[in-house]
Amino acid sequence: MSAADPDIAVLEALSERFVAGMLGADAGLRRSLWDEADSGVLHVPEESPVPFQGWDALERHTTGTLKDIRSTARDRVVVKLSADIASVTYAMTWRATFVGGAYDGMHVAGDNRVTSLWRRRGDSWKIFHILEAPLSPLRHIRLESQAAYRRFWGA
């Protein structure tokens, strides 16, 4: 597929809307971008030890696990895998606060990579799978070490 493929721009814009939905904690907007015709939608978030599959699990996660979600995305890459399937991969920095459970009230943040799979539905595209993967802990240690060096040496 060529870079001039109009679906690429559409998928970039939809992906940006999805991230904006997280930024505003807009569950309705986020849900509207998922493929509601697919009962097996899957989200594997960085902050959870288990994946969320199906609408009940996804709703529990997006409305009852985190609040005050903020995120930014960069370095977006869109690849059409076929005429009706595409992947969108990007780097994301996020922060949120856990609600309930053992981590209630705990603030969390992360830098991760996200790959979302999109399926064409009529004239639009819908998400059916999202996988988030944290960056290497070594990278975080290196960044903290560099920040400490700058604080100490002023460079």
Side-chain angles (χ1 to χ4, degrees):
M1 315 287 160
S2 75
D5 185 335
D7 286 332
I8 300 297
V10 168
L11 286 156
E12 287 174 344
L14 288 170
S15 172
E16 187 59 36
R17 282 187 65 211
F18 183 79
V19 172
M22 289 195 303
L23 187 64
D26 186 339
L29 173 60
R30 286 195 315 270
R31 172 125 186 188
S32 74
L33 296 171
W34 282 89
D35 187 349
E36 294 196 53
D38 186 341
S39 63
V41 292
L42 181 67
H43 184 191
V44 185
E46 172 193 9
E47 70 278 1
S48 175
V50 297
F52 295 93
Q53 184 170 25
W55 287 108
D56 289 344
L58 195 61
E59 283 295 315
R60 268 194 318 276
H61 174 64
T62 58
T63 60
T65 304
L66 299 172
K67 68 177 183 176
D68 302 328
I69 303 166
R70 298 288 183 263
S71 62
T72 60
R74 63 194 177 284
D75 304 326
R76 194 172 275 109
V77 177
V78 178
V79 178
K80 281 185 68 180
L81 304 172
S82 72
D84 295 327
I85 302 291
S87 70
V88 179
T89 300
Y90 51 92
M92 183 170 71
T93 300
W94 65 275
R95 72 149 175 95
T97 304
F98 279 106
V99 176
Y103 302 111
D104 187 43
M106 179 185 214
H107 302 293
V108 292
D111 288 312
N112 59 2
R113 295 177 187 99
V114 178
T115 294
S116 53
L117 297 178
W118 297 71
R119 176 183 295 122
R120 184 188 304 276
R121 290 288 188 196
D123 292 335
S124 190
W125 290 86
K126 300 290 185 171
I127 301 166
F128 65 94
H129 180 107
I130 294 179
L131 174 66
E132 300 176 17
L135 298 177
S136 164
L138 180 58
R139 180 177 185 277
H140 292 288
I141 292 168
R142 189 178 308 123
L143 289 173
E144 181 56 34
S145 175
Q146 290 169 347
Y149 180 91
R150 284 191 299 276
R151 283 191 306 271
F152 183 72
W153 294 103

